[in-house]
Amino acid sequence: MQKLKKFFLTQLIKYIRWDYLRKSINVKAKYLNTEEKMIGIIDNASLKRNKKKNIIYKLETNFIRLNPALIKACQLDKEIEYRIENINFENAIEINGLSSNASFHFKNCTFDKQISISYANTIILENNNYYDNNNVYFRGDSFLNISGYVDKLQLKEENFVNSADIKQYHISKPKFGIHAKKIKTLEIINSTITASELGEINLEQVEHLTIKNSSINAPEIYMKADEIEQINSSITAEKGIIIDNQDNNTIHNLTSPIIIYNGIDFSSENKSQNIYIDEEKIELQKARQQVIKTLRKYSNEYKFYLKTKILPQITVSKMSKTLKKKKSNNSNKEGF
């Protein structure tokens, strides 16, 4: 009897887990339960069925409410990592990750048209190919478009370069680049990021940005980040670079005719000529700005002291001399 109860309990847990995982994402996946995480393998057949329904590819995770004790008993209190490998995405893909414990790992895939991310916990792009011959996107105005909050985005061993031969297309001029509104952690590791002629790299709000052993190239680059860590990497722009860094971390290896870093303008007088900014130049310019700031401070303090202390004394002294002179003149008249 005890064995039968245990058997039914095991089957019940399996069913609850299967039902939970089935409802947690809008495509079929094969799952592998490990100690650290639940791994869901999404194959090409499952994605093709999804594309037939939606025209574009759609990956949507859902938030499922379950009793906390039941979640723990069914081993559902761990991260679910969906792995998508060696898939040729023949159209745009839209990712909407409402579940807080789900992540997507794309590896050795080919992306055509666009990658649009609404919300997501973690997304990893590793060693993928990109093909963009389009100038009209499903969402936003960039090939990689992130319109909602993403907890972590990692580009690892990536060659984020448009492999399409756009010279043969006379009308279509793609805006191959990256536009992200809000990311908590963005990591670019061992990667090359290159935007096209009309594209740009626009990172509107990033809390932690890491660029390691990588190069970023684009006509225009805009980065706004609380904290930036740059290791053995370069940032190059044909038109201009604007970096807004709240923690004032030292950024170097910047090349562009126009460079504005935390409001400090390093731009070349000849706008057609590139300038190169390294760590030494940035530190020197910071020191200059600090000297100017200090001089302005003392100048303002001197003006205040002059206005409140010196000038009143001069005025009093002049008035005193004037009164004495008048008094002396009056005495002379009386004596006469």
Side-chain angles (χ1 to χ4, degrees), residues 15 48 88 95 153 159 179 229 288 301 312 315 325:
Y15 174 78
K48 280 191 173 182
N88 182 16
I95 301 169
L153 174 63
N159 189 30
H179 186 191
E229 182 183 14
R288 285 175 180 167
E301 288 179 356
T315 305
K325 191 174 181 181

Side-chain angles (χ1 to χ4, degrees), residues 4-258:
L4 191 62
K5 282 184 180 180
K6 190 176 181 181
F7 172 78
F8 279 117
L9 183 60
T10 304
Q11 294 303 311
L12 180 61
I13 288 173
K14 282 183 179 180
Y15 174 78
I16 293 171
R17 185 189 299 156
W18 170 83
D19 189 57
Y20 177 91
L21 294 172
R22 179 179 66 87
K23 292 176 180 177
S24 65
I25 192 168
N26 66 325
V27 296
K28 286 187 177 181
K30 296 177 182 178
Y31 293 94
L32 175 65
N33 190 8
T34 68
E35 290 185 9
E36 295 180 352
K37 63 180 76 174
M38 190 82 70
I39 298 172
I41 309 297
I42 301 175
D43 60 19
N44 193 36
S46 179
L47 288 166
K48 280 191 173 182
R49 284 194 295 270
N50 172 266
K51 180 174 173 287
K52 282 183 180 179
K53 294 178 183 178
N54 301 295
I55 302 175
I56 66 167
Y57 297 93
K58 280 193 174 185
L59 290 175
E60 297 175 347
T61 60
N62 304 305
F63 178 74
I64 310 296
R65 289 186 180 276
L66 273 182
N67 183 286
L70 196 58
I71 288 175
K72 190 172 182 179
C74 298
Q75 296 183 328
L76 295 170
D77 55 343
K78 53 177 90 170
E79 178 191 352
I80 304 174
E81 181 184 308
Y82 295 102
R83 292 184 181 176
I84 303 103
E85 298 186 15
N86 303 304
I87 303 295
N88 182 16
F89 291 94
E90 299 168 346
N91 206 336
I93 176 172
E94 185 178 35
I95 301 169
N96 191 356
L98 297 177
S99 175
S100 60
N101 67 332
S103 65
F104 292 97
H105 188 168
F106 297 90
K107 186 176 180 181
N108 300 327
C109 295
T110 298
F111 294 97
D112 192 351
K113 300 296 184 289
Q114 187 189 31
I115 303 170
S116 175
I117 304 169
S118 297
Y119 293 90
N121 180 36
T122 299
I123 293 181
I124 299 172
L125 298 171
E126 181 181 0
N127 196 34
N128 299 293
N129 297 311
Y130 300 91
Y131 187 91
D132 183 18
N133 62 359
N134 192 29
N135 65 344
V136 179
Y137 299 105
F138 184 75
R139 292 276 188 269
D141 58 355
S142 193
F143 186 87
L144 177 54
N145 186 74
I146 301 170
S147 58
Y149 179 81
V150 173
D151 191 67
K152 181 179 178 180
L153 174 63
Q154 184 184 79
L155 285 81
K156 181 172 64 173
E157 306 289 344
E158 278 284 84
N159 189 30
F160 189 83
V161 178
N162 189 6
S163 59
D165 184 9
I166 59 172
K167 291 180 181 178
Q168 62 176 310
Y169 299 97
H170 301 288
I171 300 174
S172 178
K173 290 185 178 179
K175 296 178 181 178
F176 185 84
I178 300 174
H179 186 191
K181 282 195 173 177
K182 190 171 183 181
I183 303 175
K184 184 176 181 181
T185 302
L186 173 58
E187 296 177 349
I188 301 172
I189 302 170
N190 301 328
S191 298
T192 298
I193 312 296
T194 302
S196 65
E197 179 186 353
L198 297 179
E200 63 180 14
I201 306 296
N202 188 345
L203 309 176
E204 291 186 17
Q205 191 175 352
V206 179
E207 290 186 29
H208 307 284
L209 172 61
T210 299
I211 308 169
K212 184 177 180 182
N213 301 327
S214 300
S215 65
I216 299 176
N217 310 278
E220 297 178 12
I221 296 174
Y222 173 68
M223 295 178 177
K224 183 178 181 181
D226 294 345
E227 181 183 351
I228 300 177
E229 182 183 14
Q230 184 188 17
I231 303 168
N232 192 30
S233 299
S234 63
I235 300 172
T236 305
E238 182 185 338
K239 296 179 181 178
I241 298 172
I242 299 176
I243 296 178
D244 186 356
N245 175 219
Q246 186 174 331
D247 283 0
N248 205 27
N249 307 104
T250 299
I251 308 301
H252 49 275
N253 293 350
L254 307 177
T255 305
S256 181
I258 298 174

